[in-house]
Amino acid sequence: MGTTKLHKLCYQPGVVMYVDDDNICRDMEVSPEVSVLHIGEQKKPSKTNPPLLFSLDKRKNYVFSGIKELVIEEGTCGVFVANTMFPNVKRVTSHNRQYLSSDRMLITIRDDTKRMLLHVFDLESTAQIDLRWISQIGTKAFTGCKSVRLVNCDCVECCHDDAFADSAFAEAAYNHGLKIAGGIVFDVDETAEEIVFPDDKKIFAIQEGLKFYKAKRVVLKDVGLIPILSHYHLPETLVIDDPNFRNLDKLSPIELNVSIKRIETTDRVKHFSSYDGILYNKTQIELLLCPKGRSGETVIPEGVRTIKQQAFRRSHIVSVKMPDSLRTIEDQAFEYCKQLKHVDFGHGLKRIGSSFYSNVFAHSGLEEVVVPQQVTEIGYAAFYDCSLKKVTLNEGLVAIGEDAFAINELEEITIPESVSSIGESALRRIPKVYTKRYIDGLASAITEPKVFAENSYCVELNIAEHEFIVPAHVISIETVETMILKALDGEEDKGNTLYACSISISERHDTAVSAYKKTQDQKTKEYLKRSGKGIAFRLLREGKAKDLIGFIQLDVLSKKALSELLEKAADKPDVSAYIVQMMQNKKRTKLEL
């Protein structure tokens, strides 16, 4: 690569800047008598005078020790330097809207309001450094500074990596595993087993990139620090040592922090306690919070009566054993526990969720559930969208809430005779449902709302050995119920014509096909003959070769329809072979007659 050609610029006597074709200052010569350096032209930039970008190569170790003041003019679009280039600057004067005038500090304005400290100059000075109104601190902002007095840091929200590197601040000793300046945590002892954070009134910000996780535990004297700490990879054990901690919401920012596997409390905490790394109320009657990073098996101790809202939500536990003392599981207690495979409900729990508490195990990884005999109620969306492949419901169960088992991988489910109430869509997407009697609301439980009509399918409903094929999306639930009840009473045999209730033609057809395969009902066959051509051509368009072959074998297509279908399916030899075979069968049958 060739050397970039540089051009000379002289904005002021005694100063020569060398800029490239992009108007970036790469080098500079300054006479010893120059004490004030102007960066950029005083006039506003234009097409003929584009703004200067002042960016000296930090690797060349430039030092302009005679400069006492930097003046940032309108004609610059950026100043990129190092503290050590201007070690004796006592004043930065800005005529540029991107920068502020300040004693010994280079401060830029971000997003119109945020003030970011880029550099501190006058390096030998031990005077205090005032960060009033500063919200961000840049990388290596304090490099070379001899001062260790930092004041008015309460507005600082962000401190970038290595902000305090190679400064007098960095020479301080660790205190409980931390180095803190002016309320800003800027270093951590990576060999410490325990890190102790003081009262949050002394902590305003934490430098980015600190490796707290190398310690075994972190101790908080005030939970007010949690919103700041929640963005960091923390040790596995969080110890709360805050006597004023009484509001559980204070812990909400760490709910998604998977690095924490245990929460412990000290004797100074008056309103909470811990057991086996899980947070409880002081009497341990209520289980409040399981760390999200916890994995493996969890055994809840006897005496616990309530698992509170979202207590295990998004945790990585694989199994949980509940005590016989347990009575209530609140909203979303195990929601999104994707690793959860096994639950032992114990012998005391009577409700898994309720009409008040919903989504208890929703979106979890459960594959099999055995609901104990003493459980009388399964609440709203209790097992919604899990990975269930098998569910065992025992006699004694009375109520199943809305969406309780919806959207799973279940192939079938058997409803106990004791169930007297079942909610809307409670069993949706389960292809086979068995029950000994009709339960009020059963039709709406096995179907799903019309808004999901694009998911066309049907349900095999077996009631006391009566089999019904029900479309998943129906025009009227009341009509479906009436038809099922009349069929069960023997008044009318309408159970096999439930396909007529579907809201879509394609689902109506598919349901009729399934019903005919099961029952060989003559009325359904006549319907399929009338609709056969349309069904066959739709299956061909949708590329459902297997379904089309199965439909052809029902022998409901006329010879003319078969002939037209053969022409359309010319590029599908497997389908064509069945069409030809059916046409030959029809011809043979005609000859025999």
Side-chain angles (χ1 to χ4, degrees):
M1 294 179 63
T3 304
T4 302
K5 185 177 180 180
L6 300 177
H7 311 279
K8 288 185 178 181
L9 274 183
C10 297
Y11 290 134
Q12 66 180 101
V15 178
V16 177
M17 295 185 180
Y18 295 90
V19 302
D20 61 19
D21 293 336
D22 295 320
N23 220 35
I24 301 174
C25 178
R26 301 293 189 183
D27 202 350
M28 183 173 67
E29 293 177 358
V30 179
S31 297
E33 64 271 14
V34 175
S35 62
V36 179
L37 176 64
H38 293 262
I39 301 176
E41 290 187 282
Q42 295 184 24
K43 57 186 178 180
K44 291 183 179 181
S46 63
K47 290 183 179 180
T48 55
N49 294 288
L52 176 77
L53 181 66
F54 192 74
S55 181
L56 300 182
D57 190 343
K58 297 177 183 179
R59 295 172 298 180
K60 292 186 177 181
N61 298 318
Y62 292 100
V63 178
F64 301 100
S65 56
I67 303 298
K68 301 294 191 296
E69 181 179 0
L70 295 178
V71 181
I72 305 174
E73 303 288 0
E74 285 188 289
T76 185
C77 63
V79 179
F80 298 91
V81 296
N83 310 40
T84 51
M85 291 180 185
F86 302 100
N88 299 315
V89 165
K90 298 182 183 301
R91 179 70 184 172
V92 174
T93 301
S94 176
H95 303 300
N96 189 300
R97 62 186 300 176
Q98 296 182 61
Y99 295 88
L100 291 178
S101 297
S102 176
D103 290 339
R104 67 188 291 212
M105 293 190 292
L106 180 61
I107 301 171
T108 186
I109 301 175
R110 298 286 177 89
D111 301 324
D112 296 328
T113 58
K114 301 289 186 180
R115 298 183 178 191
M116 182 174 184
L117 172 64
L118 298 175
H119 300 290
V120 175
F121 303 115
D122 195 15
L123 302 182
E124 293 297 322
S125 172
T126 58
Q128 69 181 21
I129 301 170
D130 192 340
L131 298 190
R132 191 185 308 272
W133 309 122
I134 299 295
S135 58
Q136 299 180 36
I137 301 174
T139 300
K140 297 190 175 181
F142 299 101
T143 295
C145 287
K146 295 294 189 292
S147 174
V148 291
R149 291 193 288 162
L150 210 55
V151 297
N152 296 322
C153 302
D154 53 303
C155 289
V156 176
E157 300 172 351
C158 173
C159 181
H160 290 271
D161 295 26
D162 296 325
F164 291 80
D166 301 318
S167 69
F169 292 105
E171 297 174 6
Y174 290 106
N175 185 10
H176 295 292
L178 299 174
K179 290 183 181 181
I180 304 173
I184 299 171
V185 178
F186 66 88
D187 197 6
V188 59
D189 183 356
E190 296 182 8
T191 65
E193 288 196 1
E194 181 177 274
I195 299 167
V196 181
F197 281 87
D199 188 303
D200 76 332
K201 295 181 181 62
K202 301 176 183 177
I203 303 296
F204 304 115
I206 299 173
Q207 181 177 287
E208 294 177 351
L210 298 184
K211 298 177 180 178
F212 299 113
Y213 63 88
K214 292 196 173 184
K216 290 184 178 179
R217 57 190 174 274
V218 58
V219 180
L220 295 186
K221 298 289 186 180
D222 195 307
V223 294
L225 272 177
I226 284 178
I228 303 175
L229 278 171
S230 62
H231 303 292
Y232 292 82
H233 190 169
L234 299 175
E236 290 188 0
T237 300
L238 171 65
V239 181
I240 300 174
D241 185 32
D242 178 3
N244 298 314
F245 174 39
R246 63 179 64 228
N247 185 353
L248 193 64
D249 290 342
K250 292 279 189 179
L251 297 184
S252 59
I254 67 167
E255 287 189 359
L256 297 180
N257 196 319
V258 296
S259 62
I260 298 175
K261 297 182 179 181
R262 297 178 60 84
I263 297 178
E264 297 177 358
T265 57
T266 67
D267 292 339
R268 297 205 314 151
V269 178
K270 301 175 184 178
H271 302 283
F272 302 95
S273 63
S274 62
Y275 175 82
D276 191 27
I278 294 176
L279 189 67
Y280 296 81
N281 71 335
K282 198 65 175 179
T283 59
Q284 294 196 357
I285 290 175
E286 297 178 345
L287 188 157
L288 304 176
L289 181 63
C290 173
K292 299 302 169 270
R294 188 184 182 96
S295 59
E297 181 182 8
T298 292
V299 179
I300 301 173
E302 281 295 334
V304 174
R305 296 180 63 86
T306 302
I307 298 175
K308 296 295 285 185
Q309 182 177 4
Q310 298 186 1
F312 288 86
R313 191 172 189 264
R314 294 188 185 276
S315 72
H316 290 69
I317 62 170
V318 174
S319 68
V320 59
K321 187 178 187 305
M322 298 177 181
D324 292 345
S325 58
L326 189 66
R327 294 294 179 268
T328 305
I329 307 177
E330 293 189 1
D331 290 338
Q332 304 167 309
F334 295 87
E335 188 178 41
Y336 289 106
C337 292
K338 293 295 186 180
Q339 308 304 316
L340 183 61
K341 302 300 180 186
H342 177 71
V343 177
D344 181 343
F345 291 99
H347 300 93
L349 186 68
K350 293 185 178 180
R351 296 180 177 86
I352 301 174
S354 67
S355 55
F356 300 103
Y357 302 122
S358 62
N359 294 80
V360 173
F361 291 95
H363 313 289
S364 70
L366 284 172
E367 296 181 357
E368 182 175 352
V369 164
V370 177
V371 177
Q373 293 180 348
Q374 80 275 0
V375 171
T376 60
E377 181 178 356
I378 297 174
Y380 173 79
F383 298 96
Y384 178 85
D385 189 28
C386 297
S387 301
L388 287 173
K389 296 178 174 64
K390 184 178 180 181
V391 169
T392 302
L393 305 177
N394 286 296
E395 289 295 337
L397 183 65
V398 175
I400 300 176
E402 294 181 24
D403 275 324
F405 294 100
I407 320 297
N408 273 280
E409 298 175 26
L410 290 165
E411 290 296 325
E412 61 181 49
I413 192 168
T414 299
I415 308 301
E417 197 170 358
S418 57
V419 172
S420 60
S421 171
I422 188 164
E424 183 178 344
S425 298
L427 311 176
R428 68 185 176 109
R429 305 282 179 92
I430 303 177
K432 296 180 181 180
V433 176
Y434 297 87
T435 178
K436 292 183 178 180
R437 62 182 182 82
Y438 188 81
I439 307 164
D440 287 343
L442 183 60
S444 63
I446 64 173
T447 56
E448 64 180 7
K450 298 173 185 178
V451 69
F452 302 108
E454 72 276 5
N455 299 305
S456 176
Y457 67 99
C458 58
V459 179
E460 293 182 23
L461 175 61
N462 190 298
I463 304 176
E465 306 304 323
H466 279 75
E467 196 158 48
F468 303 91
I469 308 299
V470 185
H473 311 93
V474 297
I475 299 170
S476 167
I477 290 293
E478 291 75 14
T479 301
V480 172
E481 286 183 330
T482 299
M483 292 175 69
I484 291 175
L485 289 172
K486 285 187 175 182
L488 290 173
D489 291 340
E491 295 181 22
E492 292 184 55
D493 189 14
K494 289 189 174 183
N496 296 322
T497 59
L498 285 167
Y499 56 82
C501 298
S502 176
I503 64 171
S504 73
I505 294 175
S506 58
E507 187 174 74
R508 195 177 306 161
H509 289 163
D510 292 343
T511 305
V513 170
S514 295
Y516 180 65
K517 287 179 178 179
K518 283 283 183 181
T519 65
Q520 300 294 304
D521 179 69
Q522 191 60 34
K523 188 181 294 186
T524 304
K525 184 175 183 178
E526 291 301 319
Y527 171 76
L528 292 178
K529 283 184 175 181
R530 295 194 300 272
S531 308
K533 182 177 175 181
I535 295 172
F537 276 74
R538 175 176 62 82
L539 294 174
L540 183 64
R541 285 195 308 272
E542 293 174 355
K544 297 179 178 179
K546 184 177 179 180
D547 291 341
L548 178 54
I549 290 170
F551 183 66
I552 292 168
Q553 292 175 320
L554 293 181
D555 191 18
V556 294
L557 291 170
S558 66
K559 184 177 180 180
K560 182 180 179 182
L562 287 168
S563 180
E564 293 178 15
L565 185 61
L566 181 61
E567 184 178 344
K568 291 289 185 180
D571 60 339
K572 293 179 172 53
D574 51 343
V575 175
S576 297
Y578 280 95
I579 297 173
V580 171
Q581 181 181 351
M582 184 57 64
M583 292 174 71
Q584 290 173 346
N585 290 345
K586 284 182 175 292
K587 185 176 181 181
R588 189 180 303 113
T589 301
K590 185 176 181 181
L591 289 173
E592 290 174 354
L593 293 173

